[in-house]
Amino acid sequence: MNLPDGWRYAECTASAIDAVILFTKLHLEHRKQEIENFIRKASQFMEDIQMPDDSWYGNWGICFTYATWFALRGLAAAGKTYHNCLAVCKAAGFLLKLQLDDGDWGENYLSCKANN
């Protein structure tokens, strides 16, 4: 498959990390080096595209909170934690900063248009 360059989504990369990690649990040695390289590169990509406000930009849902959830899930699948990954620490701060008093986040779809 020859996909065009330029369409990169946090949600897709994070989901791919998660899927490959699940695959390795069933097939421990299958293409092990390639998979390790994939996880390393995909995790680094996720860290590299983190927004200046410590979120990720979402393309398939209500923007920032949604994509940050995906990013954290993918990074966690790759073994990244609050203790070993600055991007995870910063993302936790982003989520805590935006949480509403009732516990919800309540992001509005207009945040995608405003890019904030």
Side-chain angles (χ1 to χ4, degrees), residues 65 94-108:
T65 306
F94 168 78
L95 291 173
L96 290 171
K97 174 178 61 180
L98 294 180
Q99 188 175 25
L100 302 174
D101 290 340
D102 67 0
D104 188 22
W105 277 265
E107 184 176 356
N108 189 303

Side-chain angles (χ1 to χ4, degrees), residues 28-40:
L28 300 174
E29 297 299 318
H30 184 74
R31 299 173 76 170
K32 187 175 182 172
Q33 189 61 49
E34 287 176 81
I35 288 172
E36 288 172 359
N37 287 338
F38 164 81
I39 293 167
R40 180 184 47 77

Side-chain angles (χ1 to χ4, degrees), residues 29-104:
E29 297 299 318
H30 184 74
R31 299 173 76 170
K32 187 175 182 172
Q33 189 61 49
E34 287 176 81
I35 288 172
E36 288 172 359
N37 287 338
F38 164 81
I39 293 167
R40 180 184 47 77
K41 288 169 41 177
S43 297
Q44 187 60 56
F45 171 74
M46 293 302 302
E47 292 179 49
D48 291 346
I49 65 167
Q50 191 172 24
M51 303 287 289
D53 70 353
D54 302 328
S55 70
W56 279 266
Y57 184 83
N59 292 280
W60 295 12
I62 301 296
C63 219
F64 301 99
T65 306
Y66 177 82
T68 299
W69 171 75
F70 267 92
L72 287 173
R73 183 176 169 126
L75 290 170
K80 305 290 185 167
T81 70
Y82 188 86
H83 300 290
N84 68 12
C85 180
L86 181 59
V88 170
C89 292
K90 293 179 352 180
F94 168 78
L95 291 173
L96 290 171
K97 174 178 61 180
L98 294 180
Q99 188 175 25
L100 302 174
D101 290 340
D102 67 0
D104 188 22

